[in-house]
Structures are given as C-alpha cells and as structure tokens.
Amino acid sequence: ESLQRLLQHISPQDRLSLVIFNEDVTHVVEAASLSDTESLRQLIRELAPRGGTNLAAGLQQAVSLAMSDAAGHQSQRRLVLVTDSQPAMPAATRSGVEQVLAAAGGTGVRLDVLDLSQRGQTDVTLETWAAELRGGVRAIADSRQMTRWLFEALSGREATIAQDAKL
C-alpha cells in the first residue's frame, strides 16, 4: 500500500530500484523511471509475505544497486530496508554485510531502516548499520506512518505538510 502511494510521487528525474527478498532474492528492479510505474504497480500488487528472511542476500543485492551508476552519478543514493526481521546470522556473514555496508557508506549511500516488527524496541544491529550510513531506524505502526517514513527516507525531506492545524 505504501509503495503504491509512493509511486504517485515519482517525477521524471527520479529512479527507483527495488530488491524483494525472503529466503532468496525474488525480484530485482533497477533504476525504474516514471514510464515504469505501471509495471511496478503490477509487481507490488503481487507481493505477499512468505518464508524466512535472508537479510544478508537482500542487503548485498540492494547495496550493489545503490552503488551502481544506473541512476547516474549525480543522484542521491538512498537505501531503505523495510523488514520485520532481526539480523540473525553467523558472525562471518554479519562481518561480510558490514564490509559491504561500509563500502556503500564510503560512496555516500545512506541507509534507513523501517522496522515493521512491532517488538517495542529496535534491534541494536539495525541501529548500528543505519547510523554508520547516516540514517536511522523507525518503528512502523501502520500503513500511513509507513508511507510517511518511506517518502522521507527516499526523498530526504519531511513529508509533513502542516502540524497542529486547526479547523
């Protein structure tokens, strides 16, 4: 629902890449533009949560896309991880993910994490990864909040139009 809303705000100069994964990476969309929105809408309509989460594989693929030049060297590189999973992985795998993230941070990629788990507190590893790439972790309670934080993470600006408005 939030991705569908986000597509309403794609402008001609925007490029959006998606990595959709569970145990494996299932879909990769690289540098989609305004002309690709209908095919993106179809892909998003077909999404359904299933299986476990191979966070390492998904992040490595997403970082590779964020660091590629498909969107042009002048673009802002923003990586948004939407997950309900904790990063439970062997130490060697975690180290590999951290190396990939450090390389991404060195090229200016920012990482924000949208946590759908509703556990009450965010995972320390996710917080560390996001902070190292100048981002943050947001706990998401509902689809409206998800849309707001997704827009802010990708655009780099606040989505709030008015605060404390009275009628």
Side-chain angles (χ1 to χ4, degrees), residues 160-167:
T160 303
I161 295 171
Q163 206 168 4
D164 295 325
K166 295 181 181 176
L167 182 62

Side-chain angles (χ1 to χ4, degrees), residues 32-110:
S33 66
L34 183 61
S35 64
D36 300 311
T37 54
E38 191 49 47
S39 60
L40 287 173
R41 287 183 197 289
Q42 181 61 34
L43 173 64
I44 292 166
R45 277 192 292 271
E46 295 171 2
L47 291 179
R50 60 179 145 262
T53 303
N54 186 344
L55 197 54
L59 273 174
Q60 288 174 338
Q61 180 69 51
V63 166
S64 175
L65 285 177
M67 292 175 62
S68 77
D69 199 40
H73 70 283
Q74 297 296 324
S75 65
Q76 293 181 4
R77 312 293 173 129
R78 298 184 183 277
L79 181 61
V80 180
L81 172 64
V82 179
T83 186
D84 65 352
S85 180
Q86 292 179 301
M89 57 188 75
T93 303
R94 183 182 306 262
S95 176
V97 168
E98 289 169 355
Q99 288 175 7
V100 167
L101 290 173
T107 64
V109 173
R110 176 186 168 125

